[in-house]
Amino acid sequence: MVRSFGFAHPGTRTHGPQLWLTNTAILAHMIVADDNAETTAADEGSAYQESPHRGWHSRGYHPHFDSPEKLQSITFRLHDSVPLALIERWRDEIVELDPARSRQDQLMAQIADYEDAGIGDCWLKDPRIGAIVESALLHFDGQQYRLLEWCVMPNHVHALVEVLLGCRLAAIVQGWKSHSARRANRVLNRTGAFWMLDYFDRYVRNEAHLTLVREYIRMNPVKAKLCERPEQWRWSSASKAESRSV
């Protein structure tokens, strides 16, 4: 059984900021981070902090929810996976497309469909780079977080984690990105931006939501027509024999 989903503890906010992207400057800044550097502006230090958990917060890009023992669905992307101009066009076009769905949900669905088409350099499809990213995800599993599901797609990464008490989600994700970017750039003999600066996170609300998140992560390679069955995608939890339960 899951001890805790995404519900905030008493005394905290139960609804976060609207995750709607409206500012071109914010989006532009997201895609110019140089993760080849030893540290970046996003580097918040060790995942262990004296008072680490910040609840709802933002560094000026996307709002994030940081709370211990909550299940979080995380997505981060290569810097060239979705062009800024295209996101801006979609933002303007989807206002009235589907009144039953939030604008944010519609935008995220379009981004997901686009990146699943394998746009950009797609460095993660290189087995050497896929192995580097998967190794980064697994490195502190059981120490800073519990990694329940993951999938390294050609140009983006999905992970389902439970952040452990005393550890900070932003620092965990930055550790994944910084470590993998430095190693990947060396392998690829390149410098410069590797990942988009920020990341997306969504906390798991209940058992039904957990089932949907796990299914989405496992089926993403199948949906993108990269394989016929989830277990055939090498850099994923679905390909591993062990079953990771909450």
Side-chain angles (χ1 to χ4, degrees), residues 3-216:
R3 286 182 299 161
S4 177
F5 287 101
F7 302 110
H9 292 297
T12 63
R13 293 173 60 183
T14 56
H15 297 284
Q18 175 65 27
L19 297 178
W20 180 238
L21 309 178
T22 59
N23 191 307
T24 302
I26 287 176
L27 288 170
H29 190 68
M30 283 171 53
I31 63 175
V32 298
D34 183 358
D35 284 304
N36 183 52
E38 191 69 22
T39 59
T40 70
D43 193 349
E44 302 193 24
S46 170
Y48 293 101
Q49 301 285 337
E50 184 176 350
S51 300
H53 303 293
R54 304 173 63 188
W56 285 106
H57 68 283
S58 174
R59 293 177 37 257
Y61 317 123
H62 304 303
H64 300 296
F65 184 64
D66 184 19
S67 184
E69 301 179 334
K70 298 291 187 290
L71 302 184
Q72 298 266 18
S73 175
I74 312 295
T75 302
F76 53 102
R77 301 174 169 90
L78 292 179
H79 80 100
D80 66 345
S81 59
V82 185
L84 169 64
L86 196 55
I87 295 177
E88 283 291 284
R89 193 188 81 193
W90 288 338
R91 179 182 63 81
D92 294 335
E93 289 177 350
I94 67 177
V95 176
E96 301 297 336
L97 287 183
D98 187 353
R101 301 172 65 195
S102 72
R103 296 169 69 184
Q104 175 66 14
D105 284 346
Q106 292 181 66
L107 179 62
M108 291 302 99
Q110 286 188 284
I111 291 175
D113 287 344
Y114 185 87
E115 64 190 5
D116 283 347
I119 305 300
D121 286 315
C122 292
W123 294 307
L124 308 184
K125 69 182 179 183
D126 183 326
R128 301 170 299 170
I129 310 304
I132 287 171
V133 175
E134 185 176 59
S135 175
L137 294 175
L138 291 166
H139 188 71
F140 285 112
D141 180 28
Q143 299 178 51
Q144 298 177 3
Y145 49 85
R146 294 175 60 225
L147 184 62
L148 303 177
E149 301 281 357
W150 69 93
C151 183
V152 181
M153 297 288 286
N155 59 7
H156 65 284
V157 178
H158 296 296
L160 174 63
V161 302
E162 178 188 10
V163 177
L164 300 182
L165 187 64
C167 298
R168 198 170 198 165
L169 178 61
I172 289 168
V173 176
Q174 182 57 30
W176 292 342
K177 293 168 66 181
S178 294
H179 175 76
S180 59
R182 289 193 297 270
R183 292 186 61 196
N185 274 346
R186 284 197 295 268
V187 169
L188 295 169
N189 194 29
R190 66 178 300 276
T191 60
F194 190 81
W195 301 109
M196 281 189 180
L197 179 59
D198 214 350
Y199 63 94
F200 291 92
D201 61 280
R202 174 168 285 186
Y203 63 84
V204 177
R205 299 184 299 273
N206 50 42
E207 291 277 2
H209 189 198
L210 174 61
T211 299
L212 289 174
V213 169
R214 300 192 84 150
E215 181 74 3
Y216 180 86

